[in-house]
Structures are given as C-alpha cells and as structure tokens.
Amino acid sequence: MTQYILIAVAAGLLAFIVTPATLIFARRNGFVAEPGPRKTHHIPIPLLGGVAIWAAFVISLIFFAEGAEFRELAAIIIGGTLVSVVGLVDDHRGMRPRTKLFWQVIAALILVVGNVRVRFLGLPWLDIPLTIFWVVGICNAINFMDNMDGLAAGVAAVAAGTFLVIAVINGQVLVSSLAAALLGACLGFLVYNFHPALTFMGDAGSLLLGFMLAVLGIKLNFPHTSQESVWMVPLVVLGLPIFDTTLVTLSRLRRRVSVAQGGADHTSHRMARLGLSHRRVVVSLYFVGIALGVIAVIMSVSPPVYANTTLGVMALVAVFVIIVLEEAYRQPATSPFRSDLRLVFIGGGEEMLPLLKGAMDVSQRVTMLITPGENEISASRLKECINILADYPQAVSSVLANIEPRGSLTEMVSLWDEAFRLRGRMAITVALESAASPSEAAISAISKCDLILIGGELRENVLPTLQIGGIADLLRRSKRARVLAHPDPQRALKEIEANAGKDLITHIITNNQIEKPWLEVANLKKSERVAEAITRIWLRRTRVRGTPAPISGSIYE
C-alpha cells in the first residue's frame, strides 16, 4: 500500500506544480475558454489543465509503477496520450464529433493490440466491439460531466479511489498503480479547478480521465469471486457519469436534439434548477459517487443473488430519478444556473441600469436597496429596474406599460414584487416605524451578501440610502468587497465621504486606466463588461482572508 500512496502523492504534487505553469502559458497564448450563453463563467478561463493531468499521471507511472507488463502499460499510455491530444486540438481549433469519435475508437483499438480488453463474453469477436463501446462511452461520459467547476475532476477522483481500494483488496498491482496515479493527478488539479475555478481541464483532460477510468474498469479482476457477482462492479463505480450520459441522451432524443450538441441539460444543471447552488450541486454529486463506490465494494464481496438484486434496485431508482429530473427540466427554474454569489446593489439614475444588468449577469441573487424620500427613484426608472430583475422582461414590460403608477414608492415596490416573478428582489431600506432605522430586509441582505455594488447617479437613491442610520455602519463592518462603479471615482468618493463617512469603499470599477490592485477597468455602459469586472473582484476576494482595506478620495491626491 505504501507504493500506491507514493504514486498518488507524486502525481498530486506534479499536478499541483504543473497546473500553474499551464495556466500562465494558456493566458499568454490565448488558450482560453471564452464566456458563452451555456457557460457559467463570465471571463476567459485558461484551458490547459488537461495537460497538467496528463503530465502528472504519465510521469508518476513511469517512475514509480511496478509489476506492470510493458506491452499493457505502453498501450495504456499511448492510448491515453492520443485521446488527450485529440481533446487538446478540439479545445484549440474545434473538431467535428465524428472525427473525435474516430480517434477515440483508434485509442480503444490500441488497447486491444496491447492485450487490454474486455473478457466478459469469452469470444474475441464480441469482446473487442464491447471494449470499443466501453472505452468510447466512458470517455464521452466524463466529457459530458465536465460542465461545472470541479465536477469532472472530483467525480473521477472518487471513482479512481474506489478502483484503488478494490484493486488493493484483490492484489492487482497494475490497476492499483493506475488508480493511484489517476487519483493523485485529479486531486492536485482540483486545487485550481474547484469553484470558482482558476483553470479548466478542457477535453484534453476529460477525455484522458474517461479513457483511464475505462481502462481501470477493464483491468479490474476478482480471482477469488464468482464472475456473476462482480461483472457489474465497474458499472456501479462509474454509475454517476453513466447515469448522466443516459439521462442526457434520452432527453435529447425525446426533444429531437442532437446528442453531440452542447446544452445545460445535464444532471448538475437540473439539480441547480431545483434550487441548489453551484458548490452544493458539485459536493452532492461527490457524495453520490462515494455512495456508489461503497456499494460497489460491498457488491464485490457479496453472493451473486445479493449483488444482482442490488443492481436491479439501483436500476429502478435510476429510472425514477431520470423521470424526476426530466420533469424538473420542463418546469421554470427556481434557481437558474449561475454563480454562487449573493449581491447587494445600491444605484440611482439612468447610469445604474447597465450596472444592475451586469450584476444580474453575474448572479440571480441580487437585492436592490431602495430608499423612499425626496431623492427617491422615479416610477419610470423603477419600471426599468423591474424589467431587468424579472424572469420574463418582455411580458413584464407589456404589463407595466398599461399601468399608471399609484401610491408611494414602498407600495409600488411591494405590489410589483408580489405580482411579477423576479429573479432578483427589491428591498425598502427604512423601517416602517422609524425612518431613521434600516429595515430588516436591508439588514439581512447586507449581512448575508458576498459583494456590494454601488453606482450610478449618487444623489438619486445612493446617498439617501447610505445616510440612513445603521446602513453605513453595516457596510463598514462587512468583510465583503464594497465596490464603487463610477466614471469619476475621485468625485464620487469625496461625495460619499462627505455624506456617509469614510472607509465605505474597498474596490472601484471605472473607465480610467490606473495601475492599482483595488481597481478594475470596464466600460460602465456595457453590462457584460461590468459583469466581468465584478467577477474578477469576487474571484480575488474568495482567495483573500480578512476584511478588505478601505480606500478614500485621498488616493488621487
């Protein structure tokens, strides 16, 4: 066992060391994943993590693996390298699905030539096609699962860990070495890939992980157990990616959509639609993989009748879950698939609208603070904000166009918040019993948020909000980034300090190019650029402990 721990540690350290190098190279050479309508990231993310996984896996095997037949090990490394190169080309230039499939078949045939093949049916003319189907299927299953930060790497690590335990129990040296190397490489890379990810593995990494997991399933052997009890063990270990691929395939066939087409209809996406955050989805699926691993270990030492009965029960459960998740996909999302970020927005004037839209592009959990009074937001501006916050802006816009505003700002906000399905929400800042006290909704939003964004015309809504007793103190005590988005931050900072005191702002987004660690440059009239700047600030803050240092107007003097 010491030998396998050494392999896992070596692979993990190599992945941990090599990944930053690939990250830097990818950024300098434009090898990045661009944001898109089906992507969760809003800024370009380096896309060479798969190279680090490959290097960690192969190097640790070459130097530390023992007891492996050269022919088999050579076939495994060559085949894995081939699918990784194919994925790399696809990441960089794009590749037709049929071409990718062709090279995956070639990689599977390399395994067959190296004497790594399924021997389940006992007939080569049947076992070889089954080997190709298994390898290609698992490659694409892991590729399908690479749709959330840390998901594919974590699921592969859990599966590799399970194969390692089973192989050690059965005294399989090659399988144990392969599993240990794969486990270490995944964990070392996961440090940089867990949400929010610094780098992606791309197809180069996901196809390699799928290929190696398929090899582990083929090579797993049980010399002291009946084949009737253990034939299903690799299926159970890899049950999660197999389930996800089956779900997506059946769903797309039902909807008459190409299976090769990308989409937000995977298991993880559907769980997010049910209300789970990004991290909770990923961690939940980790535990599902761990549970399947424990079941697989138990099945490997159980009598045939128990093992096969367990498999039957799991198949029925899987069918039921597919029906539930397919129905969830038909329904409106209760928590659209977005970053796990709670954001408070304080804005005013026409200039705040692209800022609010940028905030909504980053998160669906935006709370807009509104203060009634002399300099309150106008009813027409409020309608525009409602359109941005609404799930169905065109329908809301049509309804609001035929409604004359009546009553106070507080009454309108309460009525419209109840009448329309809003992705974000509005919160009146003052308590009903006292204009000098912040409302519970405002206190709760600031206390629980991950980032505060302030911007637009300061005299409309912004300064009145900051002047409410308790709001400014809440902001100062917050350990979250307090971001000012303004084209003239020097003047804005001085106005805020004069009306609400110092030490309120920790970061600035502006149009001006200044080399400062607390400043981001973006076109404030374009919501997508604002979203990118917010995301960069948030990503940095998640990796810094303690309260961010406040800044003031004196920085420009």
Side-chain angles (χ1 to χ4, degrees):
M1 190 65 186
T2 303
Q3 177 71 18
Y4 309 132
I5 294 175
L6 177 62
I7 294 174
V9 171
L13 288 175
L14 284 168
F16 183 78
I17 294 169
V18 174
T19 299
T22 64
L23 191 152
I24 294 170
F25 180 86
R27 283 177 175 169
R28 289 181 177 176
N29 293 274
F31 211 112
V32 296
E34 298 289 347
R38 292 192 298 268
K39 306 293 181 63
T40 60
H41 58 283
H42 301 278
I43 59 176
I45 301 292
L47 198 59
L48 281 178
V51 175
I53 295 175
W54 174 87
F57 176 80
V58 172
I59 294 173
S60 61
L61 270 185
I62 292 175
F63 282 93
F64 297 103
E66 294 180 358
E69 182 183 332
F70 175 79
R71 179 182 173 187
E72 292 186 357
L73 185 60
I76 292 169
I77 292 177
I78 293 172
T81 302
L82 175 61
V83 295
S84 191
V85 170
V86 169
L88 195 64
V89 174
D90 185 44
D91 291 332
H92 188 51
R93 298 181 179 178
M95 188 179 291
R96 295 178 61 184
R98 290 183 180 178
T99 305
K100 288 172 62 178
L101 187 64
F102 169 79
W103 287 111
Q104 291 169 28
V105 171
I106 296 298
L109 289 174
I110 291 174
L111 289 179
V112 172
V113 172
N115 202 32
V116 179
R117 63 179 176 86
V118 174
R119 288 177 171 79
F120 176 66
L121 300 175
L123 299 172
W125 63 277
L126 291 176
D127 285 337
I128 291 176
L130 184 59
T131 301
I132 296 172
F133 177 78
W134 171 256
V135 172
V136 172
I138 300 302
C139 279
N140 287 283
I142 299 299
N143 184 239
F144 273 18
M145 290 220 75
D146 188 23
N147 54 63
M148 270 192 178
D149 296 352
L151 182 56
V155 169
V158 170
T162 303
F163 279 126
L164 175 60
V165 171
I166 297 175
V168 169
I169 292 173
N170 290 275
Q172 288 190 268
V173 177
L174 176 58
V175 177
S176 299
S177 299
L178 292 172
L182 194 62
L183 173 62
C186 289
L187 293 179
F189 172 74
L190 195 57
V191 174
Y192 304 95
N193 185 238
F194 193 73
H195 182 72
L198 285 174
T199 183
F200 294 157
M201 68 173 68
D203 283 6
S206 61
L207 291 178
L208 173 65
L209 294 182
F211 182 85
M212 296 314 307
L213 290 172
V215 169
L216 291 174
I218 292 172
K219 291 297 297 178
L220 201 62
N221 191 22
F222 303 86
H224 308 297
T225 309
S226 170
Q227 185 69 16
E228 296 178 358
S229 297
V230 296
W231 67 271
M232 77 294 291
V233 169
L235 295 176
V236 177
V237 175
L238 299 173
L240 185 54
I242 292 173
F243 170 86
D244 181 63
T245 303
T246 303
L247 169 66
V248 172
T249 301
L250 294 177
S251 178
R252 293 181 184 178
L253 289 176
R254 179 188 65 79
R255 292 179 282 124
R256 298 182 180 179
V257 176
S258 172
V259 177
Q261 174 182 317
D265 54 354
H266 294 270
T267 305
S268 54
H269 300 150
R270 297 170 194 246
M271 291 174 67
R273 290 176 69 88
L274 292 173
L276 293 177
S277 68
H278 191 130
R279 293 185 181 183
R280 288 193 178 99
V281 169
V282 172
V283 173
S284 297
L285 292 177
Y286 287 174
F287 279 105
V288 171
I290 291 171
L292 290 173
V294 172
I295 293 172
V297 173
I298 296 173
M299 292 172 69
S300 67
V301 295
S302 300
V305 62
Y306 292 114
N308 286 280
T309 301
T310 302
L311 181 66
V313 172
M314 292 174 64
L316 292 176
V317 171
V319 171
F320 173 76
V321 175
I322 286 175
I323 294 172
V324 171
L325 292 179
E326 185 67 5
E327 183 60 29
Y329 188 71
R330 299 169 186 249
Q331 303 300 323
T334 57
S335 177
F337 182 47
R338 295 287 179 179
S339 304
D340 187 14
L341 172 64
R342 294 161 297 185
L343 194 148
V344 167
F345 178 71
I346 308 173
E350 187 75 23
E351 302 90 341
M352 78 168 174
L353 298 177
L355 303 181
L356 178 58
K357 190 173 187 309
M360 291 297 295
D361 287 342
V362 172
S363 171
Q364 302 296 291
R365 305 169 72 180
V366 175
T367 300
M368 181 178 177
L369 300 187
I370 299 175
T371 299
E374 182 180 350
N375 294 314
E376 68 182 22
I377 295 177
S378 65
S380 60
R381 191 106 62 230
L382 197 63
K383 286 183 178 181
E384 294 180 274
C385 294
I386 288 287
N387 285 337
I388 294 173
L389 295 171
D391 249 341
Y392 305 101
Q394 292 182 344
V396 170
S397 179
S398 300
V399 172
L400 290 177
N402 299 314
I403 295 179
E404 288 295 329
R406 294 181 180 179
S408 66
L409 181 68
T410 302
E411 291 171 336
M412 283 191 294
V413 168
S414 300
L415 175 63
W416 292 350
D417 193 34
E418 292 179 3
F420 303 118
R421 187 189 181 101
L422 300 182
R423 294 179 291 169
R425 61 187 290 261
M426 293 182 172
I428 298 296
T429 58
V430 293
L432 296 178
E433 64 273 8
S434 171
S437 302
S439 66
E440 291 185 8
I443 294 173
S444 175
I446 294 174
S447 301
K448 297 179 180 179
C449 75
D450 298 304
L451 184 142
I452 298 118
L453 179 64
I454 302 170
E457 172 53 48
L458 298 183
R459 297 189 181 279
E460 180 182 286
N461 188 60
V462 178
L463 292 179
T465 299
L466 298 178
Q467 288 172 335
I468 295 173
I471 292 287
D473 289 336
L474 277 174
L475 294 177
R476 289 189 186 93
R477 290 197 300 267
S478 174
K479 294 183 179 180
R480 308 306 181 187
R482 306 183 293 273
V483 184
L484 171 65
H486 202 277
D488 188 358
Q490 182 179 12
R491 177 179 64 82
L493 279 171
K494 290 182 177 180
E495 282 194 56
I496 290 173
E497 290 175 0
N499 289 272
K502 295 184 178 182
D503 299 339
L504 276 175
I505 304 301
T506 63
H507 295 78
I508 290 175
I509 301 174
T510 187
N511 302 319
N512 304 323
Q513 182 70 48
I514 304 174
E515 295 292 336
K516 296 292 182 181
W518 38 258
L519 184 134
E520 286 290 341
V521 177
N523 187 339
L524 300 182
K525 295 182 180 180
K526 293 186 177 182
S527 60
E528 61 272 18
R529 300 285 84 83
V530 174
E532 292 173 2
I534 294 171
T535 303
R536 285 194 293 268
I537 292 172
W538 179 46
L539 289 174
R540 284 201 298 269
R541 282 295 307 136
T542 57
R543 291 173 172 81
V544 178
R545 295 185 178 181
T547 305
I551 55 179
S552 66
S554 61
I555 58 173
Y556 288 92
E557 297 175 356

